[in-house]
Amino acid sequence: MKSTRHIGLVMIITGAVLWGVSGPMIQWLFQHTNLTSADYLVVRLIAAGVITLCFLFFRKQDIFKIWKHPRHWIQLVIFAVLGMLGAQYAFIETVYISNAVTATLFQFLGPVLIMVYAAILNKKFPSAVQFIALFAALAGVFYLITNGSVQDIVLSKKAIIFGILTALGFTFYTLHPASLIKTWGTSVIVGWGMLLGGVVLFFMNPSFRISEMAKTLTLPTLSMLIFIILSGTVSFVLYIGSLKYLTATETSLLSSIEPLIAAILSIMWLDESFGGYQLLGGAFIVIAVVFLTIPEKEATIITEKVS
């Protein structure tokens, strides 16, 4: 039992680290090439989708069966365009116009929005712990955007808009495919989602040319691009695989190291600087997610102690 738990811990921590470093690596790639967010995302989504689906195909999994069910593949297309492509594009654009840490923190607001959506859908008032999480998240966003001064907003209007779209995109990305994943499995849905999202973006981005990409890519930047695609795909596989050995609460808590890794790497490698209140805002957002992962019984005990 202990050995399987250790396997799960290694998987989720490795996956979180890989995802945490991917943001700064993407930022570095943009700084050293002329790639746009759309150019990068076309390659990343199509390549990751093909890798995932080929992996499943060679494991004798029927990846084409879903296309025999119109109701399901229509939902899959909606997920691919609005969920996979929407969330990924907003995230990458936030990295492009601000930085990797900001994008990662906005992404981390997803669980808070899901909590609000569930409360509205179930017509159930949020618990005390959920209120604490919501307050912490709102305070975190305020400090992240303003660095403590309303008169001197740190992030541009465009960065704020795409940051909010990142949070909304990852919320939709999480909620919409629930029934599809239950029927067809996570890997199949995400694999097709990435491939379809990449193909749609390819046709929406007429300026994309492989020959133009080849001109801007050098050996170091091409190597980085390949590493980002592979590490992102491996990160996802490790995260999903860890759920076999750990609870969803444990995986969520451990994945909270993602923004920490992104912040450390950005400061040490990319020479990014963050205001003290911005760092406090990031801490508030992570605390909000940690509170939302506490089981209901534990949450009740905590609120009783606080009160």
Side-chain angles (χ1 to χ4, degrees):
M1 191 72 177
K2 279 188 176 181
S3 62
T4 57
R5 177 177 168 76
H6 287 157
I7 292 172
L9 290 171
V10 170
M11 291 176 73
I12 185 58
I13 292 172
T14 305
V17 169
L18 286 174
W19 187 255
V21 302
S22 68
M25 288 193 299
I26 294 168
Q27 185 177 336
W28 180 90
L29 188 67
F30 285 146
Q31 291 173 351
H32 291 81
T33 66
N34 294 323
L35 289 176
T36 66
S37 302
D39 292 336
Y40 162 76
L41 206 52
V42 167
V43 176
R44 176 179 181 174
L45 287 176
I46 291 178
V50 168
I51 290 170
T52 303
L53 292 173
C54 285
F55 173 76
L56 296 174
F57 180 78
F58 286 115
R59 291 192 65 184
K60 309 297 183 183
Q61 193 163 338
D62 190 351
I63 59 174
F64 300 103
K65 193 175 181 181
I66 189 173
W67 295 101
K68 299 175 183 177
H69 302 266
R71 186 169 63 88
H72 289 179
W73 68 251
I74 289 173
Q75 291 299 311
L76 175 61
V77 172
I78 293 172
F79 165 68
V81 177
L82 298 181
M84 181 63 72
L85 177 57
Q88 292 283 331
Y89 184 80
F91 177 82
I92 299 303
E93 190 67 17
T94 306
V95 173
Y96 186 75
I97 59 183
S98 59
N99 56 67
V101 179
T102 300
T104 305
L105 288 171
F106 270 113
Q107 173 196 323
F108 244 64
L109 287 173
V112 180
L113 295 181
I114 291 172
M115 178 269 290
V116 174
Y117 174 80
I120 295 172
L121 188 66
N122 298 323
K123 297 179 181 178
K124 183 181 177 182
F125 213 59
S127 66
V129 167
Q130 288 175 328
F131 262 119
I132 294 173
L134 181 59
F135 176 78
L138 292 174
V141 172
F142 172 78
Y143 285 126
L144 181 66
I145 291 173
T146 66
N147 195 31
S149 173
V150 180
Q151 284 78 25
D152 188 22
I153 296 194
V154 178
L155 297 180
S156 67
K157 186 183 292 185
K158 190 176 180 182
I160 294 171
I161 290 172
F162 274 102
I164 293 170
L165 288 175
T166 297
L168 292 172
F170 274 91
T171 301
F172 183 83
Y173 169 92
T174 303
L175 293 173
H176 179 77
S179 59
L180 288 174
I181 287 173
K182 190 175 181 180
T183 305
W184 301 102
T186 305
S187 300
V188 170
I189 299 304
V190 173
W192 279 116
M194 289 188 291
L195 180 57
L196 292 173
V199 170
V200 169
L201 185 58
F202 172 77
F203 286 108
M204 290 175 61
N205 183 29
S207 62
F208 177 83
R209 295 287 186 278
I210 292 292
S211 57
E212 292 300 316
M213 281 193 67
K215 291 178 183 177
T216 190
L217 289 173
T218 61
L219 182 58
T221 54
L222 176 61
S223 301
M224 180 64 78
L225 176 61
I226 293 171
F227 183 75
I228 292 169
I229 292 170
L230 293 177
S231 64
T233 306
V234 171
S235 172
F236 165 75
V237 172
L238 289 173
Y239 177 83
I240 297 301
S242 70
L243 293 172
K244 295 179 182 179
Y245 310 104
L246 302 172
T247 65
T249 299
E250 289 174 316
T251 55
S252 298
L253 283 169
L254 291 168
S255 67
S256 295
I257 66 173
E258 290 171 12
L260 177 63
I261 297 294
I264 292 172
L265 196 59
S266 294
I267 292 170
M268 295 182 65
W269 180 37
L270 301 176
D271 294 324
E272 286 283 351
S273 60
F274 301 93
Y277 282 107
Q278 282 187 292
L279 294 174
L280 179 63
F284 270 131
I285 292 172
V286 174
I287 288 169
V289 175
V290 170
F291 264 92
L292 288 178
T293 61
I294 298 174
E296 202 64 38
K297 288 182 181 178
E298 295 178 28
T300 304
I301 293 171
I302 289 175
T303 50
E304 286 176 354
K305 286 183 178 180
V306 171
S307 60

